[in-house]
Amino acid sequence: MSALLRLLRTGAPAAACLRLGTSAGTGSRRAMALYHTEERGQPCSQNYRLFFKNVTGHYISPFHDIPLKVNSKEENGIPMKKARNDEYENLFNMIVEIPRWTNAKMEIATKEPMNPIKQYVKDGKLRYVANIFPYKGYIWNYGTLPQTWEDPHEKDKSTNCFGDNDPIDVCEIGSKILSCGEVIHVKILGILALIDEGETDWKLIAINVNDPEASKFHDIDDVKKFKPGYLEATLNWFRLYKVPDGKPENQFAFNGEFKNKAFALEVIKSTHQCWKALLMKKCNGGAINCTNVQISDSPFRCTQEEARSLVELVSYSPNKESNEEEQVWHFLGK
């Protein structure tokens, strides 16, 4: 009981939902190469959660347990499409949160146990981004790199602003529309430094290594060459997407210049080090939930049984603000 309470206290449950490309229905599953997703709650309700399981069927945290880098030509026995030899070391796992052309703002619930994907809720309402003419919703497959964290207590040397307290964001520019919860391998091409309400909010530009056009892209200049206008559209979208909500235009470091692959890789390295400090309890993570099942030397590591219990608890009452101990006792039938 006490162990479960400690895990729960590292992040309080919040609300969620979506309209996206996953199959509907509580408890349904969708298989991927190395990971599975499991839906809990009704889509398009604040109870909706998308939990992650590994290949053996055990619950994991996508934020903490999915590795940042793709370390070999064959990851966990699953072959991947061949990339250039000198690019293997720069392949990363990306968790897709928002499919291209959709509006629901889906995100990893960083403050909830096991960090499922949920829909962002603001002022008691599910959040949908406005359409920025002439676009419909998000203009890329949007997601994040696992095992990264933009520390809100550490000022970025490049932007002179503190981090936004989230994993680093990724804009995947390939030709396929992906689904919420997919875990794909991406090549990093460059990065944009968005300053969102005074915080550094890096936006990586990447492409799915299995995209039919992936072999053309190796750095940010290739995006300019083979997808003319896409970077300009990206800059414009991020500048304006909060304006319909009554907020001012967003600003950018470097006057909105997209930095190249080498620069982006250094930013990823830095955010990965921040995440390591977070998981080792060497910095103030605030309400971030660090519960994980695979980081052997982390003080936040839990057993598979505890992870399953936490998923059931979050699914049982994701929106209630009752006492944590009461939730645990009710869940256990005490």
Side-chain angles (χ1 to χ4, degrees), residues 8 48 57 68 138 160 165 207 232 256 267 271 292 301-302 304 315:
L8 187 59
Y48 183 87
L68 170 62
Y138 287 77
N160 203 36
N165 203 30
I207 190 166
E232 291 81 357
V267 174
T271 57
N292 66 86
R301 188 183 185 189
C302 72
Q304 294 170 356
S315 303

Side-chain angles (χ1 to χ4, degrees), residues 130-183:
N131 294 322
I132 303 301
F133 182 84
Y135 313 112
K136 168 68 170 67
Y138 287 77
I139 64 174
W140 343 256
N141 295 298
Y142 192 74
T144 191
L145 295 187
Q147 297 188 345
T148 62
W149 182 54
E150 297 187 58
D151 189 343
H153 305 291
E154 183 172 307
K155 186 172 288 189
D156 189 280
K157 297 178 181 178
S158 299
T159 66
N160 203 36
C161 295
F162 294 100
D164 71 345
N165 203 30
D166 283 322
I168 195 167
D169 297 321
V170 187
C171 302
E172 193 280 320
I173 65 170
S175 57
K176 300 177 181 179
I177 297 177
L178 303 174
S179 297
C180 181
E182 281 194 68
V183 180

Side-chain angles (χ1 to χ4, degrees), residues 44-268:
C44 300
S45 77
Q46 292 192 12
N47 292 328
Y48 183 87
R49 296 293 186 278
L50 190 67
F51 288 94
F52 285 71
K53 290 183 174 182
N54 61 18
V55 72
T56 60
H58 297 295
Y59 289 107
I60 61 169
S61 161
F63 185 5
H64 306 306
D65 291 318
I66 295 177
L68 170 62
K69 298 194 74 173
V70 179
N71 292 318
S72 66
K73 300 177 182 179
E74 190 172 28
E75 184 181 354
N76 292 349
I78 306 296
M80 53 170 283
K81 192 170 182 177
K82 183 175 174 58
R84 294 195 322 180
N85 289 335
D86 60 350
E87 291 180 336
Y88 278 126
E89 64 180 78
N90 293 321
L91 291 181
F92 295 85
N93 284 310
M94 172 189 173
I95 302 164
V96 179
E97 296 167 310
I98 306 172
R100 182 189 285 116
W101 311 134
T102 62
N103 299 75
K105 183 166 178 26
M106 307 304 299
E107 62 182 14
I108 288 176
T110 59
K111 299 177 182 179
E112 291 189 13
M114 307 315 297
N115 311 118
I117 289 179
K118 67 181 183 65
Q119 187 168 354
Y120 184 75
V121 175
K122 185 175 182 180
D123 299 326
K125 297 180 180 180
L126 299 173
R127 184 179 173 194
Y128 297 87
V129 299
N131 294 322
I132 303 301
F133 182 84
Y135 313 112
K136 168 68 170 67
Y138 287 77
I139 64 174
W140 343 256
N141 295 298
Y142 192 74
T144 191
L145 295 187
Q147 297 188 345
T148 62
W149 182 54
E150 297 187 58
D151 189 343
H153 305 291
E154 183 172 307
K155 186 172 288 189
D156 189 280
K157 297 178 181 178
S158 299
T159 66
N160 203 36
C161 295
F162 294 100
D164 71 345
N165 203 30
D166 283 322
I168 195 167
D169 297 321
V170 187
C171 302
E172 193 280 320
I173 65 170
S175 57
K176 300 177 181 179
I177 297 177
L178 303 174
S179 297
C180 181
E182 281 194 68
V183 180
I184 63 170
H185 298 156
V186 295
K187 295 198 292 185
I188 302 300
L189 306 175
I191 195 167
L192 174 69
L194 172 67
I195 306 300
D196 189 351
E197 299 182 24
E199 297 177 333
T200 303
D201 190 3
W202 291 106
K203 306 297 181 183
L204 290 163
I205 306 300
I207 190 166
N208 186 348
V209 72
N210 288 319
D211 191 89
E213 299 182 337
S215 61
K216 298 179 181 179
F217 294 87
H218 310 292
D219 213 319
I220 197 67
D221 287 339
D222 295 317
V223 183
K224 301 173 184 177
K225 179 179 179 180
F226 295 110
K227 289 183 179 286
Y230 207 166
L231 294 182
E232 291 81 357
T234 294
L235 188 70
N236 192 55
W237 194 95
F238 279 121
R239 176 182 288 115
L240 299 176
Y241 82 104
K242 289 188 175 181
V243 172
D245 296 328
K247 294 186 176 182
E249 293 184 3
N250 279 324
Q251 304 299 311
F252 304 90
F254 315 114
N255 295 317
E257 175 190 356
F258 286 83
K259 293 296 185 178
N260 63 15
K261 173 181 176 178
F263 189 102
L265 293 176
E266 287 301 313
V267 174
I268 294 172

